[in-house]
Amino acid sequence: MFYDPRSDEHGLPHNPWTALVTPRPIGWISSRDADGTPNLAPYSFFNAVAGRPPMVMFSSTPRKHSLNNIEATGEFAVNVATWDLREAMNLSSATVEADIDEFRLTGLTTAPCRNIGAPRVAESPISIECTLYQAIPLVPKSGLECSTTLVIGEVVGIHIADAAINEGRVDTTRIRPLARLGYMDYSVTDSVFEMLRPNPDVALAEARRKGWIDAAG
Ligand SMILES: Cc1cc2nc3c(=O)[nH]c(=O)nc-3n(C[C@H](O)[C@H](O)[C@H](O)COP(=O)(O)O)c2cc1C
């Protein structure tokens, strides 16, 4: 099947879009409002977008408390949602009033950040402290209506639980991070495999041997 989201209907009973780019990591965003009330919510339109220096992004549709807080204070933390924390992560997505502290709603514990004032999730093995780099309202060239704001964060602090480190490397199977699939589906990373980057000379020689590229190619 093919459809053009600018004009075509997909023709399926449910919008397939969120099932197409998967698994999406979940940025569990902690922030606080101008009065200091903590806020916590999961965002799966989320990713790391740069490494040196590290930067992250997530998007809010429409404007929500996290975005309001981040614009008001200029900072937020990203916490990794794990298999063990799945119920709390889901509960923290409940649409509640701004004055409700989702840490208390979910029974989670706040831990202080070092370089920002927003709290982090004490139970999470990884927390990433960020300052707001830019909040960009998306305006599609197609003219389609859009209420999405892209939030880009510059990383200013990184917490890694000692228990997540094995022989000097962060062990993803110890963290068991959750990821979002389509619809109401999730996945959890329980196993990993390693694959080294190709040696270009070996890759070219192999492709020539198989006849995929000619000798001059
Ligand atoms: C796994 C998961 C991923 C979510 N991803 C997003 C997202 O990428 N963007 C968004 O606007 N809302 C997303 N939501 C919904 C928000 O978490 C929800 O609207 C929440 O109440 C927002 O809280 P806030 O107003 O405190 O920021 C997601 C919910 C769940 C459970």
Side-chain angles (χ1 to χ4, degrees), residues 46-154:
F46 163 82
N47 222 313
V49 289
R52 285 173 196 237
M55 298 185 81
V56 298
M57 72 92 206
F58 76 94
S59 76
S60 178
T61 309
R63 172 172 286 279
K64 295 177 178 173
H65 301 144
S66 302
L67 174 58
N68 288 341
N69 292 350
I70 292 164
E71 284 188 329
T73 61
E75 52 187 38
F76 62 99
V78 176
N79 307 273
V80 168
T82 65
W83 172 257
D84 289 345
L85 297 173
R86 64 193 181 284
E87 297 293 349
M89 180 283 297
N90 193 32
L91 201 50
S92 72
S93 76
T95 307
V96 291
E97 295 301 319
D99 61 354
I100 300 291
D101 170 355
E102 284 91 356
F103 283 88
R104 300 185 70 182
L105 182 76
T106 56
L108 289 165
T109 319
T110 56
C113 283
R114 290 216 192 167
N115 291 334
I116 61 171
R120 62 190 170 95
V121 176
E123 290 82 353
S124 174
I126 312 272
S127 295
I128 301 167
E129 302 182 10
C130 303
T131 55
L132 175 62
Y133 172 74
Q134 215 177 328
I136 307 170
L138 298 185
V139 183
K141 293 206 188 321
S142 61
L144 283 179
E145 213 175 286
C146 181
S147 58
T148 298
T149 302
L150 187 65
V151 177
I152 303 172
E154 197 168 332

Side-chain angles (χ1 to χ4, degrees), residues 1 18 24 29-30 32 50 79-80 83 89 140 151 160 165 191:
M1 66 171 279
T18 55
R24 288 185 308 286
I29 309 290
S30 51
R32 59 176 187 175
N79 307 273
V80 168
W83 172 257
M89 180 283 297
V151 177
I160 307 172
I165 298 176
S191 66

Side-chain angles (χ1 to χ4, degrees), residues 155-169:
V155 176
V156 297
I158 297 175
H159 302 258
I160 307 172
D162 292 342
I165 298 176
N166 186 17
E167 294 179 357
R169 291 161 55 132

Side-chain angles (χ1 to χ4, degrees), residues 194-216:
E194 188 180 59
M195 193 156 57
L196 301 182
R197 291 286 287 274
N199 174 319
D201 295 332
V202 173
L204 279 168
E206 186 69 0
R208 286 195 189 103
R209 192 181 65 75
K210 288 174 173 158
W212 293 344
I213 55 175
D214 60 30

